[in-house]
Amino acid sequence: MRYIADHDFHIHSTVSLCCHDNNQTPETILNYAKENGLRKICLTNHFWDEKVKSEAEWCDEHNFEAVSSVLPLPASENIEFLFGCETDMDFNNVLGISEERYDVFDFIIVATTHLHLSGNTVKNQISTPGEAAFHWLDKIENLLSKDLPFNKIGIAHLTTGHILKGRTDEVLSLISDSSLYTVFKECSRKGAGIELNVKTTDMTDRQKELFLRPYYIAKECGCKFYLGSDSHKASALACAKENFEDVITKLNLKEEDKFTL
C-alpha cells in the first residue's frame, strides 16, 4: 500500500524567532491539517534547554518556558496535535535537550545540518564543500552514538540548503555511498525517523539524483520516514501536501516505510 501523507511532524510557530509570520499560530496549523486531511501534526519550535550548558552562544528566547508557552494546543476530534521541539548539537556535539526533558515532548527533532551557524553548531564558518561533507557525517554519527529515546527522535532535513548555501549539491556529491550505508544502517538499528521535506519540483535531473540519493539508501537500509514541512509561515503550508506526495512518488514509499509516533 502506498505511503499515505497523513501527518506533518515538523512545523514552527511564532515562538521560533526565525518565524516572521504572525499568522503562523497553532490555530492556523490545525486548520492546515483539517484542510489537507492530516491525522497527526506536531509543533516543533526551536529549543535549547537552559539546563544544558554549552560553550556556544544560544538564544535564551528558545528555552523551555518559550516552547511550552503554546500549551495547551488547540484540539480537534479527528486530529492529534503533538507537542514537540527541534533542537541542535553545538560545536562540541552537546545536544540541546536534557535527559529530564525527554518525556515532556511527544517528538524530538534533531537538526544535524544547520551548518551555517558558526559559533554555535560549528565552531568556525564553513566555506568549502569538503568541510561541509565532513561535518554532515560527523554530526549524524555523533547523534547516533548518544543514549537517546530514538523511538521519538527524528533527524531533520538531511539535504537542506543550510548545509552550504548554493552548494549543497556539491556537498552531497562528496559523501560516499559506503558512508551513507554505514550511517543509515545505524539509523535503522536505533529506530530513528528520517525526515522527508526535500522539494524536487524545480530541480534539474542531476540535482534530483544528488538530493534523493541519501533517502534511496536510507530506504534500502530499512529506515523509516516521516513527513515534515519545516514550515515557518502560513503560505508554505499551502504547498506542503503536494511536496509530500511528490517525494513519496519519487521514492516509491509504502506504508511499511512510515515512521510512526
Side-chain angles (χ1 to χ4, degrees), residues 51-63:
K51 295 177 180 291
V52 176
K53 302 306 178 186
S54 171
E55 293 181 36
E57 298 177 358
W58 293 100
C59 186
D60 291 340
E61 286 88 342
H62 285 152
N63 60 22

Side-chain angles (χ1 to χ4, degrees), residues 171-182:
V171 177
L172 296 173
S173 72
L174 295 176
I175 303 170
S176 69
D177 283 0
S178 61
S179 294
L180 290 173
Y181 275 105
T182 298

